[in-house]
């Protein structure tokens, strides 16, 4: 690709082979492995799975012990025939299909977590890739400026020698100008080193490396999953087909399914709730010693949902609105993904054009102009200020070409995230 040629032309290979290098693939792999969010997501999934089992179980039965119908004058269990010691057990049964629907909903929420993890992994990869590329840009820009600093030092020496020579044409302002540009170059280097340190700190947040990381000289070549030749003219429906399997949309689908189950759960409120009970009553013999029969009671109770206007109806209405809200949320997410995808490819196409322009025309022209101006000055046939300006312009063009190459890789990483599908 054109951008690789540009980078090869502007970045010298100056990294010592003895220095440990952190390449992009290693940085991304470490960041994914060390991401605690993924562990939390797995724990959340296990929690929902456990809740699914718990929510589908019947409520615990209730045991009761009762001393029934004891006479208050003697508290004798033999005086009255109704006096008995009662042991009872009762079991409640939730309304309709509440148990199975509760389990279904918890499982739906659990199934959302793998999708969220897939999206998180892709986001981590994209974020770390961009940070790594920013650090790469800072380090390579520093190397570019450091490699050209020797030239500016030579310009200062040449200007001083020409100024002190009786035959030289340099003026005092040429010496001052050369020294000024060297000072400005040092300031740019200091600013870039400060920026690199900040970016290194941001990268260390993801990969856990506190010490400064040295990156390779070669810019990674990321592969684009799909190319859009004319993103500005592609209809939204066609773009939606490219992003419809994105994990963040699939996760929202799981939310919608869980919300639809909430509607079914709310509708169970129209059904009665049943409970069954069984009681065994023990009676002592009567005062004459005659045996009294023990008693057994069994029964069911249930409520009758008659007045539903302010409770069940409102609960069902609320659940339906929540479901529609989730569907609207999915629509908004899809719109954002489509807009980002279109914008990313538009920017990528423009950067491709600029990369070709820099490689084929601008960099060669800048190099020729700089060389011609420097040669003319060395031959006492050119202006010193023009020689300095041409050198600065060539350095800026090299850094601009490097920035184009870096931004192109960042856009590819962003496009690949947007084109992500499934788990």
């Amino acid at each position: 690709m054109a951008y690789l040629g540009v980078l090869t032309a502007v970045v010298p290979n100056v990294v010592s082979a003895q220095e440990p290098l952190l390449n992009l693939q290693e940085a991304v792999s470490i960041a994914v492995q060390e991401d605690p969010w993924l562990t939390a997501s797995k724990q959340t999934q296990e929690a929902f799975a456990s809740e699914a089992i718990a929510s589908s179980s019947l409520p615990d039965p209730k045991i009761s012990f009762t001393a029934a119908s004891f006479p208050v004058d003697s508290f004798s269990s033999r005086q009255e025939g109704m006096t008995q010691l009662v042991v009872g057990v009762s079991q409640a049964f939730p309304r309709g299909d509440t148990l199975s629907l509760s389990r279904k909903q918890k499982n739906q929420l659990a199934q959302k977590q793998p999708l969220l993890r897939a999206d998180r992994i892709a986001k981590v990869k994209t974020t770390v890739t961009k940070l790594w590329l920013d650090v790469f840009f800072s380090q390579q820009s520093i190397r570019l400026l450091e490699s050209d600093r020797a030239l500016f030092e030579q310009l200062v020496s040449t200007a001083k020698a020409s100024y002190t020579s009786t035959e030289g044409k340099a003026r005092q302002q040429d010496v001052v100008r050369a020294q000024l540009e060297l000072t400005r170059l040092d300031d740019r280097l200091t600013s870039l080193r400060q920026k690199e340190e900040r970016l290194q700190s941001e990268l260390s947040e993801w990969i856990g490396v506190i010490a400064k990381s040295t990156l390779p000289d070669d810019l990674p070549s990321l592969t684009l999953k799909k190319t859009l030749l004319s993103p500005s003219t592609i209809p939204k429906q066609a773009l939606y087909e490219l992003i419809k399997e994105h994990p963040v949309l699939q996760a929202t689908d799981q939310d919608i399914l869980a919300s639809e189950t909430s509607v079914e759960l709310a509708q169970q409120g129209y059904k009665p709730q049943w409970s069954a009970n069984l009681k065994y009553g023990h009676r002592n013999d009567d005062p004459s010693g005659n045996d009294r029969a023990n008693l057994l009671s069994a029964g069911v109770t249930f409520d009758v949902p008659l007045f539903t206007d302010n409770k069940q109806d409102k609960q069902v209405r609320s659940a339906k609105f929540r479901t529609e809200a989730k569907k609207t949320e999915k629509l908004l997410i899809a719109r954002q993904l489509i807009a980002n995808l279109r914008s990313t490819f538009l920017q990528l196409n423009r950067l491709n054009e600029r990369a070709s322009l820099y490689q084929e025309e601008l960099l060669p022209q800048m190099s020729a102009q700089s060389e011609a101006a420097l040669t003319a000055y060395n031959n006492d046939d050119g202006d010193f200020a023009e020689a300095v300006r041409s050198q600065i312009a060539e350095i800026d063009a090299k850094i601009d070409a490097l920035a184009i190459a870096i931004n192109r890789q960042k856009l590819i990483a962003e496009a690949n995230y947007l084109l992500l599908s499934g788990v």
Side-chain angles (χ1 to χ4, degrees):
M1 296 298 293
Y3 71 95
L4 290 177
V6 172
L7 190 61
T8 302
V10 300
V11 180
N13 187 7
V14 296
V15 176
S16 170
Q18 297 180 350
E19 292 179 337
L21 302 179
L22 177 68
N23 62 44
L24 176 58
Q25 185 176 3
E26 291 174 346
V28 169
S29 178
I30 293 172
V32 172
Q33 292 175 5
E34 298 295 326
D35 186 17
W37 191 97
L38 299 176
T39 302
S41 174
K42 292 178 182 178
Q43 293 167 342
T44 301
Q45 183 176 357
E46 290 296 329
F48 277 123
S50 297
E51 288 178 5
I53 297 174
S55 63
S56 63
S57 302
L58 286 172
D60 293 332
K62 296 180 179 180
I63 305 295
S64 64
F65 297 93
T66 306
S69 303
F70 270 71
V72 296
D73 56 349
S74 65
F75 288 97
S76 172
S77 62
R78 302 164 64 89
Q79 176 179 328
E80 301 294 338
M82 296 177 59
T83 301
Q84 53 189 305
L85 296 175
V86 182
V87 177
V89 59
S90 63
Q91 177 66 61
F93 300 92
R95 304 177 189 276
D97 298 324
T98 297
L99 294 181
S100 61
L101 289 173
S102 296
R103 181 167 189 164
K104 177 183 177 182
Q105 185 181 51
K106 297 297 183 181
N107 285 329
Q108 288 169 336
L109 293 174
Q111 292 166 9
K112 174 184 175 182
Q113 293 302 314
L115 298 167
L116 293 179
R117 288 199 295 274
D119 179 64
R120 173 70 177 189
I121 290 172
K123 283 182 176 177
V124 169
K125 289 181 177 179
T126 303
T127 300
V128 173
T129 295
K130 291 180 177 180
L131 279 173
W132 189 96
L133 289 169
D134 285 336
V135 174
F136 181 90
F137 174 73
S138 296
Q139 290 188 357
Q140 297 297 340
S141 298
I142 290 171
R143 290 168 189 165
L144 276 172
L145 292 177
E146 287 177 339
S147 65
D148 285 335
R149 191 180 189 282
L151 177 59
F152 277 89
E153 289 177 340
Q154 182 181 354
L155 283 174
V156 173
S157 299
T158 301
K160 287 181 178 179
S162 178
Y163 176 68
T164 57
S165 172
T166 56
E167 297 180 358
K169 295 183 179 180
R171 298 165 296 175
Q172 184 180 12
Q173 66 184 45
D174 294 340
V175 177
V176 174
R177 174 66 183 273
Q179 186 62 55
L180 174 62
E181 295 302 334
L182 183 60
T183 303
R184 285 180 174 176
L185 185 62
D186 287 337
D187 179 64
R188 289 182 68 180
L189 282 168
T190 301
S191 178
L192 280 172
R193 291 189 180 104
Q194 180 183 12
K195 181 180 179 181
E196 182 198 1
E197 291 170 353
R198 176 179 59 80
L199 293 170
Q200 288 272 11
S201 297
E202 293 180 12
L203 183 60
S204 69
E205 178 185 350
W206 292 95
I207 64 177
V209 178
I210 304 301
K212 177 180 178 181
S213 301
T214 302
L215 311 187
D217 282 329
D218 297 329
L219 179 65
S221 179
L222 302 180
T223 302
L224 194 61
K225 290 183 179 180
K226 187 176 181 59
T227 301
L228 303 182
L229 297 178
S230 302
S232 59
T233 59
I234 296 179
K236 286 186 177 181
Q237 184 59 37
L239 290 174
Y240 177 75
E241 292 298 319
L242 296 176
I243 56 94
K244 68 179 183 180
E245 299 298 327
H246 197 284
V248 72
L249 290 178
Q250 292 183 326
T252 307
D253 284 336
Q254 288 300 123
D255 281 335
I256 293 173
L257 291 175
S259 292
E260 290 173 344
T261 304
S262 294
V263 176
E264 296 181 68
L265 277 169
Q267 290 171 341
Q268 303 310 302
Y270 294 110
K271 299 178 181 179
Q273 182 176 14
W274 294 79
S275 64
N277 61 82
L278 181 67
K279 295 181 180 180
Y280 177 80
H282 172 74
R283 296 194 299 174
N284 283 332
D285 296 342
D286 63 18
S288 300
N290 297 320
D291 182 47
R292 287 174 174 166
N294 296 328
L295 303 177
L296 181 67
S297 302
V300 296
T301 59
F302 59 93
D303 60 10
V304 183
L306 294 178
F307 308 103
T308 63
D309 290 348
N310 293 327
K311 188 175 181 181
Q312 287 87 345
D313 291 352
K314 298 303 182 185
Q315 290 174 337
V316 172
R317 178 181 173 88
S318 173
K320 288 181 177 180
F321 274 118
R322 291 182 186 277
T323 301
E324 293 304 315
K326 288 294 181 182
K327 292 179 180 179
T328 303
E329 180 182 342
K330 180 184 177 181
L331 176 61
L332 293 174
I333 294 173
R335 283 184 177 180
Q336 185 177 18
L337 290 174
I338 290 172
N340 290 344
L341 184 63
R342 191 191 299 274
S343 173
T344 299
F345 274 98
L346 286 172
Q347 294 179 66
L348 192 55
N349 288 345
R350 293 304 180 192
L351 283 181
N352 289 338
E353 295 174 3
R354 292 187 65 196
S356 298
L357 180 65
Y358 267 77
Q359 182 186 29
E360 297 171 6
E361 299 184 34
L362 195 55
L363 283 177
Q365 291 172 2
M366 286 289 187
S367 178
Q369 180 190 15
S370 175
E371 183 178 354
L374 187 61
T375 300
Y377 174 73
N378 289 334
N379 293 331
D380 293 331
D381 190 31
D383 182 61
F384 180 80
E386 179 60 30
V388 171
R389 281 196 299 268
S390 62
Q391 291 297 323
I392 295 173
E394 184 179 8
I395 293 174
D396 290 341
K398 290 178 180 179
I399 293 177
D400 287 344
L402 175 61
I404 290 172
I406 294 294
N407 288 333
R408 185 182 184 279
Q409 294 301 296
K410 291 167 71 173
L411 285 173
I412 290 176
E414 181 66 24
N416 287 341
Y417 165 73
L418 295 170
L419 293 170
L420 184 67
S421 61
V423 294

